[in-house]
Amino acid sequence: MNVFHPCIKADILYQGLATVQHHQVQDVAGSPKISAYRAKKTKGQIPIRQRLREWESNNPDEAHSMLADHAHLGELSNSFTRPQNVTMAQFDANSPLFQGDELSELRSDDTMLTPGDMVELSSDGSRRPMLAVCLGRVGGYEHYYTSSGKWFSGIGVNPLFVVPKFATPSELEPIIAELPSGDIPMETLNALQDLGHGPSRTAGAPLLRKMLDFTQHAETIYQENAGTLDSSSSFIGDPVRHRYLDLHEIAELLLPSTSKQDGKFSSTALYAVHRAILQDEMFFRPLKQTGHRRSYLFEVSPLSEVRIVQRVEIMVRDYMETTPERRTGKTRKGESSTLLDFVKTARRAIDQSRAHRQTSAHGLIGPSKKPTQIRPEWTATDIEVMQFIELWASYQKFPMYSRLQCLGSAIIRAVERYDDEGFSTTTGWTFLQEVGWIPPWEIQSRYGIRFPGVEVQRGGGFTRPVLTPPEMNTDGDVFEGRRKHWDQVTTYCIDAESTTEIDDGVSVEPTSDPDQFWIHVHVADPASAIKVDSRMAKYAELIPETVYLQGHYSRMLPGSCADELSLRENRRCLTISALVSTRGDLLGRKITPGRLGKVVYITPEAVNIALGEKRGDPEWSSERLAVGIKPHQPIPTRTMMKPGQLSAGQKGDLALLSKLGKAIQKQRLERGATPIYQPRAEPSVFLLNTKQIAMENGFISVAGDPSISVGYSENQGTDLVENSMRLAGEVAAQWCNERGVPALYRSQPHATQNASLIQQYTSEIFYPLLKAGVRPQDNQWRHLRALLGGDEISTTPGPHFTMGVDMYTKATSPLRRYSDLIVHWQIEAAILEEMTRGKSLVGNTDDSFLPFDRNKLDRMLSMLRVREKQIRALNNGQGAEQWVLQALVRAWKFNEAPLPGTFEFTVAHVAGRRSIVGRLDWFNRAAMLRPDAMNDVAKMADVRVGDVFKVKLLDVNVPANQVLVEAIVLLDRSGGKDTAVAAALGGQQVAAADSLQADALTLTA
């Protein structure tokens, strides 16, 4: 029997075992010695709660939460040795920031969910997904009720899996009734969610049961087909080529036909396949930049690529299991370590590179001091390891939670040259630059946004199947001998001097009525020479738009073909004509194959000078940053007309075209068209001062550095061209619709139901800001986007609100847009049919004579959407942004240009207590402020949208498109109205704007 002695270690007993009860203590609790000790220790003490309150008042500070088991967004996290809990997840979402030109093409169809849709919410830092039901949009934010009974709100959640109309309105009502009402800011929503104030599990019980039943049914289907689903690579993988399949196509390959209901796979069957393929970290990769709620595309790795990963994994394991002596090169005679040999070669290459270029921790090595000659001997095994690092760091093939991430990190660690930079994919990207696998100015987004069926060419461009000279022949003409000659008019091709694909021109022709004129838009006509099923057509389909990413210009058509088909005198054209009145009324239309007469090449600025006109667009900013030596501008490939060289008749033509275009645009504006598009900061890149030589072993020797200039584009040219091109798109759409010809119509179907509210919101709030040169706030962009919905490509015409037209298709750039080429093929087939029949096809319902019937065109839309979205992301999104960040790093870290020491950071979004997203007063650049960089300037819980901080740069991660800042001082608290907005709207309109915005929130919920 244990005997407790009250005189021994009594202080330990009472101080250290507060949460543990021992029966021995209770036996002697009445001991006089213990009672005396207790009285002595508590004499003069105040109650613990009061002491804590006094301590808090004397030590004011923000409460610091315990370290959470998740990494920052986009960073690696440990999801293996830590418990996986759905409350840890940081769900993938679109950027809450807008870039300025969204009204030209919103393209938000991938996030336009409706109340009742069920989605799978994913998190980069978690292996565990979660189902959630969309409750709708309230206050500009999307609200979800998750399968764990949690309420979640956010902006632009990117789901990989969607079940439309999963829940009924009656099932949503009890949950929505318990949501906070009114216009509540995001930071308040975050606080409410942190405190657990949300819909109760009682209210959500029916929905929770429904989601659980869905999951269990999907699990049953998975178990029944586990043998096939777990070995999917045997059924789907190609030996050497990537495949691109949506979920329905994968299900067709993996599930038996008996799993179908009424000829289709159920949503539970599709979800079983979806979860099964995402468990494979090597074989399947969802293309997150290209999602669409109706079809999500997966990239399926070739078996050769999977084998590279498997072999490198074995190498890394062998290396990690070797002794320290062998790792340092002290091997026994006859022994060798495959990875060790690679590490030694890599060290020599990096040391050679650093003799000429300074390294950095920002994913970009420094400017060259002299040409870099990296010539170590690389073995075939070394090349294989390099290909793995390319998959890991360039293509970023593996999820953030994947075990394969540690393989790349282990290799970089073994090189022992990056101890201060860490071992992330950004360091891997730097490694590839230093060993000469990629040039220092390579753009990572080209790898992350890979076009289906196209390989990235390291150093620049893309690799498509090579065409033979006969396959590039463009001499044929389906309208030979039947073209109209436009000798009676002068065609004006109005483009910048640097333009190489001249695919449109405009002319004007009077009629017998002095108030009516024909506006002819003459468009290059490749469709008459390229057959729909030819190899050149397939070549164009792979990259369906010319890629204008600076430094990586890639034409849709082969260069020689585009040059041969560009507009010039006596060249073939397809002319889209509109009969218009001086009031801007559209009175008639026709489309005619023809040949051009006289052609005048002139710049938009020269037209304005000749006409004495000046655009009324506001000047947004004259800010500019330039690094590197800017080379001389190349000489134009054609003779450009100067303003003083125009004849009186030519000036009269241009003046009349300008007048008619403004009249047409006036009517569009009355129907709600956007009056002006806010520009974004754009990079101009020149590679003439650089040199890169491809080595025999696949590596690259480089010299020099690009010249990068960042600034806002100055639109000082005439608006004659854009007004005419939109008119041509409207006429082409009407012409096709009248004849029952399915085309690729661009519309905003969601906007129709909100037309009156959109009209009021844009005319009273949004457009006045644009006209005044004031950038609308991000919440105003969100409200308008919620009302408009997204742009849609469809074979059925519909109105396009922000263009002010009843229907529209793109038809004026067939040399650089595949969708325009499709429209031309359809139109020309209809024209040939009319010639054969000898009468018009107006009222026709037969599409058997067309190259694409409606069903075939509908099937093509999914891949076309994907590719178009990828090209936009490269041209105007991530690709362009990485050039801007390269210039920023070169100015900041390598002192190539002056840069402000501090910036103003305006808060745009508060993501709980994890991070603050905002904009710098430097090209309106997005940046992030994290809690550890607040420097006690303010409490995270007190930060509001609209707050302004003075900050300095903390980190710029070029391949991750990320700028981190640290706070210096709080300059301004949000609370009053933004002065610029108030000035733009007018003092009397501010209150009305608030009221109207609140109405918008209510109607979009």
Side-chain angles (χ1 to χ4, degrees):
M1 178 178 178
N2 293 328
V3 178
F4 174 74
H5 197 291
C7 297
I8 299 176
K9 304 293 184 182
D11 56 335
I12 297 178
L13 171 68
Y14 285 99
Q15 292 181 15
L17 302 174
T19 60
V20 182
Q21 292 186 357
H22 292 263
H23 68 277
Q24 294 96 333
V25 176
Q26 295 174 354
D27 290 343
V28 294
S31 169
K33 291 188 177 182
I34 291 182
S35 300
Y37 174 82
R38 182 179 294 167
K40 178 181 177 182
K41 297 295 289 184
T42 58
K43 184 178 180 181
Q45 292 184 356
I46 59 177
I48 183 64
R49 293 183 183 277
Q50 185 177 343
R51 288 178 61 197
L52 289 174
R53 293 189 188 99
E54 291 180 0
W55 188 91
E56 282 187 337
S57 63
N58 295 330
N59 299 273
D61 190 14
E62 182 175 2
H64 297 284
S65 59
M66 295 178 63
L67 291 176
D69 190 29
H70 55 66
H72 290 296
L73 185 64
E75 296 184 358
L76 296 180
S77 62
N78 179 1
S79 61
F80 286 91
T81 62
R82 305 294 174 84
Q84 292 292 289
N85 189 297
V86 291
T87 61
M88 302 174 183
Q90 301 178 79
F91 300 115
D92 295 341
N94 289 329
S95 169
L97 306 183
F98 291 82
Q99 299 302 326
D101 64 348
E102 279 77 1
L103 287 185
S104 60
E105 280 189 286
L106 289 173
R107 296 291 173 211
S108 58
D109 48 12
D110 52 339
T111 56
M112 287 306 297
L113 299 171
T114 58
D117 290 351
M118 185 178 71
V119 300
E120 182 189 71
L121 300 176
S122 61
S123 169
D124 270 344
S126 174
R127 303 188 310 274
R128 205 174 155 186
M130 182 191 302
L131 294 177
V133 174
C134 177
L135 302 176
R137 187 186 295 261
V138 182
Y141 302 100
E142 296 156 5
H143 295 258
Y144 300 86
Y145 190 71
T146 69
S147 54
S148 64
K150 301 292 185 181
W151 160 51
F152 165 71
S153 60
I155 302 172
V157 170
N158 277 336
L160 287 182
F161 187 85
V162 181
V163 181
K165 300 179 181 178
F166 176 80
T168 63
S170 61
E171 291 171 324
L172 299 180
E173 282 178 6
I175 303 173
I176 295 176
E178 295 188 10
L179 288 178
S181 58
D183 184 10
I184 299 177
M186 190 64 185
E187 51 269 21
T188 304
L189 292 177
N190 289 331
L192 291 174
Q193 291 166 32
D194 289 343
L195 295 172
H197 291 289
S200 64
R201 294 183 67 89
T202 302
L207 214 52
L208 292 173
R209 170 56 61 183
K210 196 170 185 178
M211 286 189 277
L212 179 61
D213 290 344
F214 178 89
T215 304
Q216 291 175 340
H217 189 192
E219 179 66 22
T220 300
I221 295 175
Y222 169 76
Q223 294 295 340
E224 291 172 351
N225 301 275
T228 303
L229 294 175
D230 289 343
S231 57
S232 55
S233 58
S234 304
F235 301 92
I236 297 180
D238 184 271
V240 294
R241 293 189 307 111
H242 288 87
R243 297 186 69 184
Y244 296 87
L245 304 169
D246 63 30
L247 192 57
H248 296 268
E249 293 169 326
I250 295 173
E252 288 283 357
L253 296 171
L254 297 180
L255 292 183
S257 58
T258 54
S259 298
K260 293 183 178 180
Q261 299 175 359
D262 300 326
K264 297 180 180 180
F265 289 110
S266 65
S267 56
T268 48
L270 292 173
Y271 188 62
V273 175
H274 169 81
R275 290 309 316 152
I277 62 179
L278 286 186
Q279 290 176 17
D280 192 318
E281 299 170 357
M282 281 189 285
F283 202 67
F284 294 95
R285 181 176 72 144
L287 300 182
K288 292 188 177 181
Q289 299 90 347
T290 58
H292 189 278
R293 75 189 303 264
R294 286 189 294 272
S295 61
Y296 213 95
L297 204 65
F298 288 85
E299 180 182 78
V300 185
S301 299
L303 299 177
S304 58
E305 198 173 87
V306 175
R307 293 189 188 104
I308 288 175
V309 176
Q310 292 171 339
R311 285 195 289 267
V312 170
E313 183 174 11
I314 294 173
M315 292 184 207
V316 173
R317 288 183 180 277
D318 288 344
Y319 176 82
M320 299 300 290
E321 292 172 0
T322 58
T323 63
E325 290 78 13
R326 289 188 61 194
R327 291 189 197 176
T328 56
K330 299 176 182 178
T331 59
R332 297 176 183 175
K333 187 176 181 180
E335 286 185 335
S336 65
S337 171
T338 305
L339 187 60
L340 178 59
D341 294 338
F342 169 84
V343 165
K344 291 178 180 178
T345 308
R347 288 171 183 166
R348 291 196 299 272
I350 292 170
D351 292 342
Q352 290 179 28
S353 172
R354 292 183 182 181
H356 309 293
R357 291 180 182 268
Q358 182 181 345
T359 190
S360 82
H362 308 289
L364 178 72
I365 62 177
S368 63
K369 303 170 185 176
K370 59 181 180 179
T372 307
Q373 297 285 336
I374 302 176
R375 298 185 182 275
E377 293 295 328
W378 300 91
T379 66
T381 302
D382 293 339
I383 299 298
E384 198 166 71
V385 177
M386 202 68 68
Q387 290 171 338
F388 170 81
I389 296 177
E390 182 179 54
L391 291 173
W392 171 62
S394 299
Y395 292 102
Q396 298 192 359
K397 190 84 172 178
F398 316 119
M400 285 298 180
Y401 56 79
S402 171
R403 62 184 175 82
L404 300 174
Q405 290 282 353
C406 69
L407 300 181
S409 298
I411 295 172
I412 298 301
R413 181 189 293 272
V415 172
E416 296 181 349
R417 293 296 184 271
Y418 300 99
D419 293 340
D420 297 330
E421 288 85 0
F423 310 110
S424 66
T425 53
T426 297
T427 308
W429 181 254
T430 304
F431 169 85
L432 293 176
Q433 296 174 41
E434 294 200 285
V435 299
W437 187 254
I438 58 175
W441 52 83
E442 181 61 282
I443 299 296
Q444 187 277 329
S445 290
R446 298 198 313 124
Y447 298 81
I449 307 173
R450 180 157 58 178
F451 302 126
V454 178
E455 296 299 323
V456 177
Q457 183 175 321
R458 284 183 290 115
F462 303 89
T463 302
R464 286 178 280 180
V466 177
L467 298 178
T468 63
E471 290 170 337
M472 291 191 290
N473 188 293
T474 57
D475 293 337
D477 184 2
V478 297
F479 293 113
E480 186 66 39
R482 294 185 281 187
R483 290 185 177 274
K484 174 183 175 66
H485 288 264
W486 294 96
D487 297 324
Q488 77 280 15
V489 297
T490 298
T491 299
Y492 301 92
C493 295
I494 307 172
D495 297 282
E497 290 184 353
S498 59
T499 302
T500 56
E501 297 163 318
I502 313 301
D503 52 11
D504 56 64
V506 62
S507 67
V508 64
E509 183 180 8
T511 67
S512 57
D513 188 331
D515 289 330
Q516 297 180 7
F517 300 87
W518 282 101
I519 294 178
H520 303 298
V521 178
H522 308 280
V523 185
D525 189 10
S528 63
I530 302 173
K531 294 182 178 179
V532 172
D533 56 354
S534 67
R535 288 199 71 217
M536 193 188 298
K538 300 301 181 185
Y539 180 93
E541 186 180 5
L542 290 174
I543 299 183
E545 285 187 26
T546 294
V547 177
Y548 289 102
L549 175 64
Q550 298 283 315
H552 300 281
Y553 175 70
S554 299
R555 288 180 167 182
M556 181 186 78
L557 293 172
S560 59
C561 299
D563 293 338
E564 292 168 3
L565 294 167
S566 287
L567 295 183
R568 91 175 43 162
E569 190 169 338
N570 203 37
R571 283 272 174 90
R572 72 183 81 179
C573 65
L574 187 70
T575 300
I576 303 172
S577 305
L579 180 63
V580 298
S581 70
T582 53
R583 296 183 301 276
D585 300 317
L586 180 57
L587 306 174
R589 64 191 69 86
K590 58 184 177 181
I591 300 180
T592 313
R595 287 193 178 274
L596 292 178
K598 181 176 178 59
V599 177
V600 170
Y601 301 106
I602 189 169
T603 66
E605 292 76 16
V607 172
N608 262 4
I609 293 172
L611 301 181
E613 294 182 353
K614 185 177 180 181
R615 291 190 69 137
D617 297 5
E619 182 178 342
W620 297 92
S621 175
S622 58
E623 189 175 13
R624 186 160 292 274
L625 173 72
V627 295
I629 303 172
K630 184 176 180 180
H632 296 293
Q633 290 283 2
I635 300 174
T637 57
R638 60 201 185 283
T639 302
M640 304 298 295
M641 185 76 75
K642 303 297 182 184
Q645 297 174 323
L646 293 170
S647 67
Q650 291 170 340
K651 288 184 180 179
D653 286 349
L654 292 171
L656 181 56
L657 284 167
S658 178
K659 176 184 176 182
L660 294 173
K662 285 178 170 60
I664 295 169
Q665 180 64 2
K666 182 181 178 182
Q667 292 204 12
R668 293 194 192 118
L669 292 174
E670 292 173 354
R671 294 194 292 269
T674 305
I676 212 169
Y677 294 114
Q678 180 184 340
R680 71 170 74 195
E682 297 177 345
S684 296
V685 181
F686 301 91
L687 298 176
L688 297 180
N689 295 325
T690 66
K691 182 184 294 184
Q692 59 183 47
I693 302 171
M695 315 293 285
E696 291 182 0
N697 57 4
F699 287 76
I700 301 172
S701 176
V702 299
D705 294 282
S707 167
I708 309 174
S709 176
V710 183
Y712 289 96
S713 57
E714 298 179 2
N715 196 355
Q716 301 299 324
T718 179
D719 56 4
L720 183 160
V721 178
E722 57 197 77
N723 290 336
S724 300
M725 297 307 116
R726 289 179 186 173
L727 175 64
E730 182 181 7
V731 168
Q734 293 175 346
W735 192 93
C736 290
N737 186 52
E738 289 173 342
R739 290 160 176 78
V741 175
L744 300 178
Y745 298 101
R746 314 280 174 151
S747 62
Q748 292 173 333
H750 187 72
T752 305
Q753 64 193 42
N754 298 327
S756 60
L757 185 59
I758 297 172
Q759 186 89 342
Q760 187 180 6
Y761 186 73
T762 53
S763 62
E764 295 185 15
I765 298 176
F766 204 86
Y767 292 166
L769 295 175
L770 294 177
K771 293 176 182 177
V774 175
R775 187 188 185 284
Q777 298 171 357
D778 288 288
N779 67 318
Q780 292 169 325
W781 280 104
R782 282 197 298 273
H783 299 328
L784 182 57
R785 180 171 176 170
L787 292 171
L788 289 170
D791 278 20
E792 183 64 79
I793 312 176
S794 172
T795 56
T796 303
H800 198 291
F801 184 87
T802 55
M803 298 188 74
V805 295
D806 293 331
M807 61 184 69
Y808 180 77
T809 188
K810 293 183 178 181
T812 59
S813 299
L815 295 180
R816 53 190 179 90
R817 280 199 301 253
Y818 186 70
S819 61
D820 297 42
L821 187 57
I822 290 176
V823 173
H824 276 228
W825 276 322
Q826 297 288 83
I827 289 174
E828 294 185 2
I831 292 174
L832 288 171
E833 186 68 14
E834 287 186 334
M835 290 179 175
T836 301
R837 296 185 185 184
K839 63 178 182 178
S840 171
L841 289 176
V842 172
N844 169 67
T845 58
D846 176 29
D847 59 5
S848 61
F849 58 88
L850 296 171
F852 305 99
D853 60 31
R854 193 176 301 276
N855 290 333
K856 184 176 181 180
L857 211 52
D858 283 332
R859 290 194 299 271
M860 294 174 62
L861 286 181
S862 175
M863 187 63 76
L864 185 62
R865 287 190 191 101
V866 165
R867 290 184 168 127
E868 283 192 354
K869 193 169 184 180
Q870 288 175 313
I871 291 173
R872 280 195 306 275
L874 274 181
N875 288 343
N876 304 317
Q878 297 176 21
E881 288 175 6
Q882 287 180 3
W883 278 121
V884 175
L885 294 187
Q886 284 192 24
L888 177 59
V889 171
R890 288 173 60 177
W892 178 41
K893 285 298 179 183
F894 302 115
N895 301 315
E896 291 195 62
L899 199 66
T902 61
F903 305 87
E904 287 190 6
F905 173 86
T906 304
V907 177
H909 178 66
V910 181
R913 298 194 178 188
R914 299 192 304 269
S915 62
I916 302 168
V917 181
R919 295 186 179 276
L920 302 177
D921 61 342
W922 185 81
F923 297 114
N924 210 35
R925 174 69 212 180
M928 185 179 294
L929 179 60
R930 290 174 175 170
D932 54 0
M934 290 295 292
N935 296 331
D936 294 327
V937 169
K939 296 181 180 181
M940 287 287 291
D942 294 336
V943 177
R944 298 288 181 267
V945 172
D947 288 354
V948 181
F949 292 84
K950 178 186 285 189
V951 299
K952 63 180 180 180
L953 293 177
L954 181 63
D955 182 43
V956 178
N957 190 327
V958 176
N961 279 65
Q962 187 180 72
V963 176
L964 299 179
V965 296
E966 62 174 310
I968 298 176
V969 66
L970 178 62
L971 297 176
D972 187 28
R973 282 283 190 194
S974 64
K977 296 296 177 184
D978 184 274
T979 54
V981 174
L985 291 176
Q988 296 179 349
Q989 286 185 285
V990 173
D994 287 342
S995 175
L996 184 56
Q997 192 158 299
D999 291 341
L1001 299 178
T1002 303
L1003 289 176
T1004 56

